[in-house]
């Protein structure tokens, strides 16, 4: 399979490669266990799944700015933050957290990307060159 390359917009610089975890629900980072990176929010479509060291693809964040920033910070301190984040609707606190913690973050990805990406795909996020690649399915 030839790799699929999609244009995007850089929010936080960097390059990361890893396994995709795709959420259709907004994410409250405070409801992710920092020790494991596992989503503990009841009823969330990622409940019971880990986002640790994955490429996290999600619509947006939810909850207050304090719990969002603290949630990402706690994950980062335990080494369980996502390797990169692909977000559809960025918000200030997530953007600033990604920049401070040096987690590559992009948005405005070509809509075709969302039609083909799925859990387990190996994704390369190159925020510096504004591209997202699906390396394997």
């Amino acid at each position: 399979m030839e790799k699929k390359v999609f244009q995007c917009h850089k929010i936080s610089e960097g390059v990361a490669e890893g396994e995709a975890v795709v959420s259709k629900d907004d994410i409250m980072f405070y409801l992710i266990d920092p020790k494991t990176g596992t989503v503990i929010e009841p009823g969330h479509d990622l409940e019971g799944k880990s986002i640790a060291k994955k490429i996290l693809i999600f619509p947006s964040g939810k909850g207050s700015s304090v719990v969002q920033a603290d949630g990402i910070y706690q994950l980062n301190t335990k080494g369980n933050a996502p390797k990169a984040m692909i977000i559809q609707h960025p918000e200030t606190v997530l953007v600033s957290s990604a920049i401070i913690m040096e987690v590559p973050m992009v948005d405005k990805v070509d809509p075709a990307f969302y039609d083909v990406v799925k859990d387990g795909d190996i994704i390369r996020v190159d925020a510096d060159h504004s591209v997202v690649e699906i390396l394997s399915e």
Side-chain angles (χ1 to χ4, degrees), residues 35-82:
K35 292 183 220 65
T36 61
T38 302
V39 176
I40 55 176
E41 180 180 344
H44 194 280
D45 73 345
L46 295 183
E47 183 181 1
K49 290 185 183 177
S50 175
I51 66 159
K53 300 177 187 70
K54 304 265 175 78
I55 306 296
L56 179 61
I57 302 163
F58 64 114
S60 192
K62 65 180 180 182
S64 75
S65 55
V66 174
V67 300
Q68 287 290 52
D70 186 55
I72 293 177
Y73 173 76
Q74 295 300 331
L75 284 164
N76 203 41
T77 359
K78 302 279 193 290
N80 288 320

Side-chain angles (χ1 to χ4, degrees), residues 90-134:
E91 51 189 62
T92 310
V93 70
L94 290 180
V95 168
S96 52
S97 297
I99 292 168
I100 291 165
M101 291 173 227
E102 299 179 345
V103 175
M105 178 186 267
V106 299
D107 70 345
K108 298 182 181 147
V109 182
D110 182 331
F113 170 76
Y114 294 102
D115 295 335
V116 293
V117 70
K118 59 193 179 313
D119 276 353
D121 285 351
I122 303 303
I123 306 281
R124 183 170 191 270
V125 176
D126 183 344
D128 300 339
H129 295 98
S130 300
V131 279
V132 173
E133 299 173 69
I134 300 176

